[in-house]
Each structure stands twice: as structure tokens, then as C-alpha cells.
Amino acid sequence: MTLPQPVPPPSGPVRSPSRWRLVRRAYCVAAGIVMALVYLALRFAVPEHLRDLAIALAMAALGLVLTLAAFRLSRATSMGRVDDLTRRVEQAVEAGGLPELEQTGWSAFDALAQAISRFATQRAETVARVRAECDHFRMLAEDAISLEAYFGGNGRLLWVNPAIEAITGYTVAECLKAHDLIDQWIYTKDQALMRDLARRSLLGESREDHELRIQHRGGGVTWFACRWHPRRDDLGRVVGVRFSAQNIQRRKDAELKLLETVAALRRAQALKEHYLNRSNEERMRLASLLDVVKLGILFVDRDHRVVYINQPALDIWNLGMRDTVVGARDEVLIERTIHLRADDEAYRAHVAEVLSHRGFSEPYDIEMSDGRIIRDLSAIVPALEGEGGIGRVWIYEDVTEELRAAQRLTDLAERDPLTGLFNRRRFMEELERQIADAMRRGEQLGLLSFDLDGFKAVNDTHGHQAGDEVLIRLASELSAVIRRNEMLFRLGGDEFALLVSNTDAEPMEQLARRVLQRVSDIEFRFSDQAVSITVSMGIALAPHHAGERNALIAMADRAMYAAKMQGKNRMQFAEPGEHDPQS
């Protein structure tokens, strides 16, 4: 901060600081000389008897004159000094500096000069400080990017920072000369609000953060946050208003985008709720449908927890309420249903194999302890995006009746309706299959053909009902003596056959003897008459006797007829003949 420099004194003779003392001394010497001369003149010029009176009167008059002259001189000198001080101070004030006052030796005026010098110095320091502060604040105001303006108490613009030109397109000078700044600055739709706020601020109301739009001279509108701060004098009267405006266009743009985003989110939320409601409705319809179908459906997520199970699945596995199942792990369900499965170990092995693959599982029949057969299928439920799945679905079907019906159909097609034994159709299929297997494995297949001795006489004597009873009893007795690798067939009438896999001549002979003995032990009674039945048997081995189905049957039939010719109730091995591949 630089203080004002002293102002030099006006041009003219420089007076000595002791001038007043010299004048005072010279005046006293002159007055004494004058009084001495008057005294001497009167002493010699006036008669003696009037001398004392004349001297007294003359001294009195002279003293009065000298005193008046001294006062007049003193007054003129002091007034001159005052005028000189006043002129120096005025010149210093006009020049913006400090007055240069010398000492005169007159204590009163010297003290006044010192006081004026101190006052002027303090004033200069204050002015310099105020100017520095004004320069600082002016620099801040003029360099600010926001709008700063000051209005007088009458509403006229007194000062505005240069930012006004960038904001409105008008220069500072144009704004100071403008008649109506509101019409010039403010967007049309906000002018009424601006006038009301300006009026209130001139009445002393502080208004902050009102959002207004300021229009640019060349077009375009920008949002600003505006503030009004009234300034009052010592009596509380409004003498001016400070107006500030901060650019908030970015915030407004952000708010607009936010509003658009919120609106979009609300639309999305409404759409989501709409689709959610529709999804819930579809889910309820699907759940109702899945509860109606006979298939049991179980969905397990990738964490092996139950997400959904329909009512048929609950019924199949006797799991009770749905709430006790949803959320449980699949291992828990397996443990809860262990008592329902006839072979739990096989079922667990099946589940482990299914879980080790990602494709569809093959149908698997689960034998239940109560005789039911539950067939399951499983598949991964794929995700909408990306690899992997969201879980696995298990489908359970009670196929007990289906299998029973299929078995009944199979029995009708492959079994004899009277005895329940496999029929000729099944015999022909099985014989061809087992011959091929035996030849592929290098084994022998045995065929034992036989019919009943005296069966025609039973029918003729006791009727066909008695014949049917014989056939049924015979089938039951023989089924009790055959083994796992032996299959019994009724070919028609009283003709029967036995197929034995992986055998030889000796086991076939033992089988024939068991059959002969068992049949001969059976006793029938018809009309209180005991009736016995015997059988005649023919045995052929494939591929020893024949490697083709019809040829093997022919070989066994010839051996059976040979047994009958030899007296019945016996067995006979086939002899090599035209069908023998070794002949």
C-alpha cells in the first residue's frame, strides 16, 4: 500500500520558522522607541507645569494606540497563517497528497499544523487502505463469471461487472444507459416474477435462490439462481440493492435429464409391474395347469434347492404340504422318501449318474415298496443368456397301470390265455434270438419238445373242460421245476416246448427226466376216476443238430415222434440227419 506524497508549499518567499518571534520583538523595540521619543519631545516642548499631565495623557494615548495596533497586527498575522494553512490543506486534498506545513514558532499554530499533519496522514492511510480494498473487491467482482450488479434506491443500475456482456450480449455501458433492464435481460415468461422480486428487494426484503432465465441478445436462454440483498443507511432506509446471479444451466440440464430418467424409470417400473402382474397371472395359470396334470414336476436350482414342486409330485412322493418342500435341498427329499423305494441304493446311483451329465436323462423306472412303478426323466433348464443352466427339472410319472396294461397286451400277444405260458409266437421269436446268441458266443442252445400221451382220450371221455384242467395243472407243475435259464412254452393243443440257454446233452437229459417224473406224479380225477398223464419228448441242440430255427424244430419233433413210437413216456435225442450241418 503506497501512501500519498506531501504536496509542496505554494510558490513565493519562504518564511523562516522564527518570523513570528522576530516580528514580535521588532514591534516591541519600535513601540519602546516611539514612546521614548514622545516622552523626550513632551519633556522639552511642554511647559513644566503642564509637563506631567501631558506626558501622562500622551503615554496613555500612545499605549492605547500601540495596543490596538498590536492586536490588529496579531489578528492579521494569525488570519494570514490560517489562510495559508487552509490553502495548503486544500491543495493537498485536491492533489490527493499530504500538506507540507512548516513550524512558525507560534505554539498555537504549530500545534494546529501538527494536528492537521497527523489527521492528514491517518486520512491518507485510511484512503489508501480503502482504495486497496476497493481495487481488490472490484477485481474480484469484475473477474467473476457470475453476474454482479448494484442498483440505487430508485432502482437505477449504478454498477455491473463485465460478465454481463458474456451473459446478455450487452456491454456495461449499454446496460448503464438502458431504461428497462428487466425487459432487456430477463426471459419473457420470467419478467413478471423478476419485477415482483425487484420491488420487494427495494422495500427491504432479502430474496435468495430464485431461479430465473436470462436471455442473450443474440438468442438463447440460460437458467440463473438469483439473489437480492438490500443495503441500508444508519436510519435503516434502503439506499441500494446488490443483485447476484449464478449460472445453473448445467444443474438444470442435469435436473431435466434426471426428470427424464425418473420418468423413464417410472414407465419402466409401470411396465415391469404390468409384466410382473401378467407373469404372476401366467405363473398362477401354469401352476394350476401343472397341478392338474398327472405328471409330477420338480424344479431344483443350481444350488440344489427346490424352487417349485407341483401337487402330483407331492402326492407321488408323499411329501405333504408344499411349503415344507420348497427351499429344501434335494438330498433332504431323498432322505425323506427313502422308505418309499424298494431299492434305494440303485436309485441313488441313478441320480448320481444323471447329475454327472448335462443332457436329457434316459427314462428310469423306480420300483416302490408298495408295488408302484415311478418313471423319472430329467433335464437341465437352460439360462436365457450365457452358458450353463438355471437348474434342473425332474418329471415323475406313475406308470404302474401303464406297465400293467402293456404287460397285459404283451401277455395277450405272447402268452397262452389258458395256461399263462408263452405262446408259439413268442417261442419262434425267442428261438431265433437265442440261436443267434448261442452261435455268437460259441455256446449251445437246447430245445425240448413234448406233447401229452392220452390227452385226446381225456377230452373224448371227460370233455374239453377236463382237458383244459389238465393243461392248466400241467403248466403250473412244470413252471415249478424249471430254472432261470429255462423257458416253457405252449405251442398249441397239448404241444409244449422248453428252451435252455448255454447247455449241453447231459443237462438236457437231466431236465427231461425231471419233467417226466413231475408229470407222472400228477394225478387227476374226473367223475371219480383217477387219470394219469405222461409225456413224450424230443431233444435237439443248436448248432449241434441244426443252426437254423425251423430245422432245429424239425429235429426235435422227429425225436419226439421217435419217443412215441418207442412206447411213450420217454425222451429221445435227435439223430443226425439231413438238417445236421455235420452230416
Side-chain angles (χ1 to χ4, degrees), residues 72-373:
R72 290 180 65 85
L73 179 60
S74 175
R75 181 177 179 276
T77 303
S78 62
M79 290 302 296
R81 181 58 181 164
V82 169
D83 292 340
D84 184 58
L85 289 175
T86 301
R87 185 171 60 255
R88 289 174 180 271
V89 171
E90 289 176 351
Q91 290 177 350
V93 170
E94 291 176 358
L98 296 176
E100 184 176 357
L101 304 176
E102 73 272 3
Q103 299 294 317
T104 62
W106 196 348
S107 59
F109 286 99
D110 290 343
L112 177 60
Q114 292 175 1
I116 292 174
S117 297
R118 288 194 300 270
F119 172 76
T121 301
Q122 294 175 357
R123 173 186 172 278
E125 292 175 351
T126 302
V127 169
R129 184 172 61 255
V130 171
R131 284 180 178 174
E133 291 179 356
C134 288
D135 291 341
H136 176 71
F137 292 123
R138 181 180 294 276
M139 179 186 67
L140 293 177
E142 292 182 350
D143 290 344
I145 59 175
S146 60
L147 175 60
E148 296 289 340
Y150 186 77
F151 294 87
N154 58 357
R156 293 289 298 178
L157 178 65
L158 300 181
W159 176 86
V160 66
N161 66 336
I164 190 65
E165 186 169 358
I167 294 173
T168 66
Y170 293 95
T171 64
V172 174
E174 288 176 326
C175 293
L176 293 174
K177 294 178 182 179
H179 176 69
D180 190 348
L181 290 175
I182 293 179
D183 183 64
Q184 185 184 76
W185 289 0
I186 307 303
Y187 182 57
T188 305
K189 294 183 179 180
D190 295 337
Q191 288 181 2
L193 175 61
M194 178 66 176
R195 295 183 191 279
D196 180 65
L197 294 173
R199 180 183 60 81
R200 293 187 179 186
S201 63
L202 290 173
L203 293 176
E205 295 184 20
S206 293
R207 314 294 296 181
E208 294 191 2
D209 292 336
H210 279 83
E211 297 178 356
L212 297 170
R213 286 165 285 186
I214 295 180
Q215 59 189 6
H216 193 274
R217 187 177 193 174
V221 176
T222 305
W223 279 98
F224 280 81
C226 303
R227 301 177 182 85
W228 290 262
H229 295 288
R231 183 181 178 187
R232 302 174 184 274
D233 60 11
D234 295 339
L235 298 178
R237 294 173 297 189
V238 177
V239 296
V241 175
R242 177 192 170 188
F243 174 75
S244 302
Q246 181 72 34
N247 189 325
I248 58 170
Q249 186 62 46
R250 291 186 179 178
R251 192 189 79 190
K252 278 295 188 180
D253 293 340
E255 289 177 355
L256 179 60
K257 290 182 180 179
L258 180 61
L259 290 175
E260 293 175 352
T261 303
V262 170
L265 289 175
R266 288 178 177 174
R267 290 193 297 269
Q269 180 67 21
L271 189 62
K272 178 181 178 182
E273 292 177 356
H274 170 70
Y275 284 121
L276 181 60
N277 291 334
R278 291 186 57 181
S279 176
N280 288 333
E281 293 174 358
E282 291 294 334
R283 184 176 62 82
M284 295 302 296
R285 285 192 286 268
L286 179 60
S288 300
L289 175 63
L290 295 179
D291 284 340
V292 171
V293 298
K294 294 182 178 181
L295 297 176
I297 299 174
L298 172 68
F299 178 73
V300 182
D301 64 15
R302 58 176 58 133
D303 295 326
H304 298 278
R305 292 192 178 275
V306 176
V307 176
Y308 174 79
I309 184 171
N310 69 343
Q311 189 60 44
L314 294 170
D315 297 337
I316 287 173
W317 293 106
N318 194 23
L319 291 171
M321 300 298 295
R322 197 191 311 262
D323 293 341
T324 63
V325 177
V326 175
R329 295 185 66 85
D330 51 5
E331 296 92 339
V332 175
L333 298 187
I334 293 176
E335 289 297 328
R336 286 176 59 179
T337 57
I338 187 173
H339 64 285
L340 299 177
R341 291 181 291 274
D343 190 350
D344 182 66
E345 184 177 350
Y347 175 73
R348 290 177 184 268
H350 158 68
V351 171
E353 181 181 0
V354 170
L355 295 179
S356 65
H357 298 85
R358 298 190 60 81
F360 286 89
S361 67
E362 295 296 329
Y364 178 81
D365 291 342
I366 308 168
E367 296 184 11
M368 308 295 280
S369 301
D370 57 4
R372 292 179 299 153
I373 303 296

Side-chain angles (χ1 to χ4, degrees), residues 11-33:
S11 58
V14 180
R15 299 179 179 178
S16 172
S18 60
R19 176 177 173 277
W20 171 249
R21 291 192 295 271
L22 294 176
V23 171
R24 185 180 58 188
R25 293 171 183 174
Y27 182 81
C28 292
V29 171
I33 294 173

Side-chain angles (χ1 to χ4, degrees), residues 1 42 53 107 138 169 182 204 242 306 354 385 388 394 403 454 512 517 539 570:
M1 178 170 48
L42 291 176
L53 179 58
S107 59
R138 181 180 294 276
I182 293 179
R242 177 192 170 188
V306 176
V354 170
E385 297 180 358
W394 293 84
L403 293 179
Q517 183 65 44
I539 302 173
R570 66 183 62 241

